[in-house]
Every structure is written in C-alpha cells, then in structure tokens.
Amino acid sequence: MGRKIVIAGGSGLVGKQAADMLARAGFAVHLVSRRPSHALAPGIQEHVAPTADWPAMVASIKPDVAISALGTTIRTAGSRDAFRAVDHDLVLAFAKASHDAGTQHFITISSVGAMPASSSFYLRTKAEMEQGLRNIGFQRLDIMRPSLLTGGRRDDHRPGEALGILLSPFVDMLMFGPMQKFASTPSAKVAKAIAALAKPGDNGVFIHENESINALAG
C-alpha cells in the first residue's frame, strides 16, 4: 500500500478527481467530509462527521500527506464571513489537525492572483490562507494556484463561473507570455498535478501556477 492520504473537500470538482487518481495509483485515500459522497471509487474510505470532529478523525488516520480541496464562493456561501469560514478558517483548522497528527506534507488549492494587498476580498482571503499554512510549519507545502477551473461537474451551481467557462476558449486565445497563468485551467490537470505531488519530494514551499501545473500533469 502506498502513502496514506487524507483529503478535505474530496467531493468537489478537483478533490473527487484527485481522490480517484490517487486510489488507482495505490495510495490509501481517506476523505473527511461533512456529508456522505456518492459513488466512491474502490480504495477510498470516507469519514463523515461535523467539522469539529475532523481533528480526532485525522489523528486516527495519521496521514503522510494532507490535501485541502475545500472551497466555495461568496455567492454560494451567502456572505463574506461564511465564505471566509470555509476558504480560510476551515482550511487552516484541517491543516493544523493534520500537522498535529504528524503530517509534514500539505497540498492546498488556492487561486491565481492571490495577494495580501489585492482589492478582491476573495483573493485577499486566499493569500491569508496561504500565509496561515506557511506559519504552521510543514516540511513541504504545495500551493496550487489555478485560474478558472474547467471540465468535470460541480455539485453546486455557480452561474458566474458557468459563463466564464463558456467564454474561456475565446479568452484563453488572448493569453500570451506572463498572462498565460490567467488562462483557464482544466480541473483534471490540477488533479493530476496533485496526484504527482503526493509522492515524496524535496522540502520547502512551492507555488504552482498554470505552467507548473501543466508540467506536473504531463
């Protein structure tokens, strides 16, 4: 059996694909979830409980690698505070629980353009989440910064993203050089990149935007 993986957000667009790929590759994959998922692939174990109980579940799993595919939108969450509770607070709580359980490798999905000084509340929150992860002190931290995610099926309806996905082939044609990092990112490529990163590697903090994600995905 391969390395032991725990994933939060394993029912989401990228998380589900990553979990399936990791299970097929022989990793022992565990999901921590608030609600049961549907049609889990063989080799995936799901632990369903309120988020307050996640630390105890993670401690019992003792994962080698923890992956956060948690994420929502302000529209879906209903308010800025509710959005931050997921994309910042819950990510960091899951990360701390993983570190306390002995995990030294953490992978998270953030966003291209994440900056503390951004005028966008969404991007500021992502940047603050990233800094919080750095402060926890993992031996290796991989931060995925995709642009608009395309492909696959979401459990929730996101009208703004749906329009962006429809227009993305035309917008992507205008992305050259440094702007390429803002081109849409296939969700399957992010999942493949995460699966590749789950193997042992060098210590440090690594930022992965489109160029790096494409290279890792192969």
Side-chain angles (χ1 to χ4, degrees):
M1 185 64 70
R3 305 178 88 192
K4 195 179 293 185
I5 311 288
V6 64
I7 303 176
S11 63
L13 181 61
V14 174
K16 185 179 187 307
Q17 294 178 85
D20 291 350
M21 291 175 189
L22 288 162
R24 288 197 300 270
F27 291 87
V29 179
H30 297 258
L31 309 183
V32 289
S33 310
R34 288 171 287 186
R35 294 178 295 276
S37 303
H38 302 290
L40 291 175
I44 299 176
Q45 297 183 52
E46 185 170 41
H47 310 262
V48 180
T51 55
D53 295 337
W54 284 10
M57 291 194 300
V58 173
S60 70
I61 296 166
K62 294 182 171 56
D64 299 296
V65 184
I67 300 169
S68 170
L70 294 163
T72 185
T73 64
I74 296 173
R75 179 189 179 95
T76 300
S79 69
R80 287 187 171 192
D81 287 346
F83 162 76
R84 185 178 174 85
V86 174
D87 283 55
H88 179 276
D89 300 350
L90 187 55
V91 174
L92 293 186
F94 170 63
K96 185 177 184 306
S98 301
H99 190 264
D100 289 347
T103 306
Q104 288 301 326
H105 184 188
F106 195 86
I107 304 171
T108 193
I109 301 174
S110 182
S111 173
V112 66
M115 295 184 296
S118 174
S119 60
S120 163
F121 178 79
Y122 177 89
L123 295 177
R124 286 201 311 275
T125 301
K126 292 293 189 182
E128 290 165 6
M129 177 270 289
E130 291 181 7
Q131 185 57 53
L133 292 176
R134 288 184 175 92
N135 294 342
I136 289 174
F138 291 99
Q139 289 180 4
R140 180 177 177 114
L141 173 61
D142 288 289
I143 298 172
M144 318 301 291
R145 285 185 182 170
S147 186
L148 175 68
L149 291 169
T150 60
R153 295 182 61 182
R154 290 191 182 275
D155 290 338
D156 55 342
H157 182 54
R158 301 181 179 187
E161 288 192 6
L163 178 60
I165 291 168
L166 182 65
L167 297 175
S168 63
F170 307 100
V171 176
D172 291 350
M173 293 172 62
L174 305 176
M175 300 296 180
F176 300 99
M179 294 299 292
Q180 185 62 34
K181 69 180 181 180
F182 295 104
S184 62
T185 311
S187 59
K189 283 196 171 184
V190 181
K192 287 180 182 178
I194 289 173
L197 288 168
K199 301 173 184 177
D202 296 334
N203 293 341
V205 178
F206 302 89
I207 305 294
H208 306 282
E209 294 178 337
N210 272 345
E211 182 177 1
S212 175
I213 290 169
N214 289 333
L216 287 163

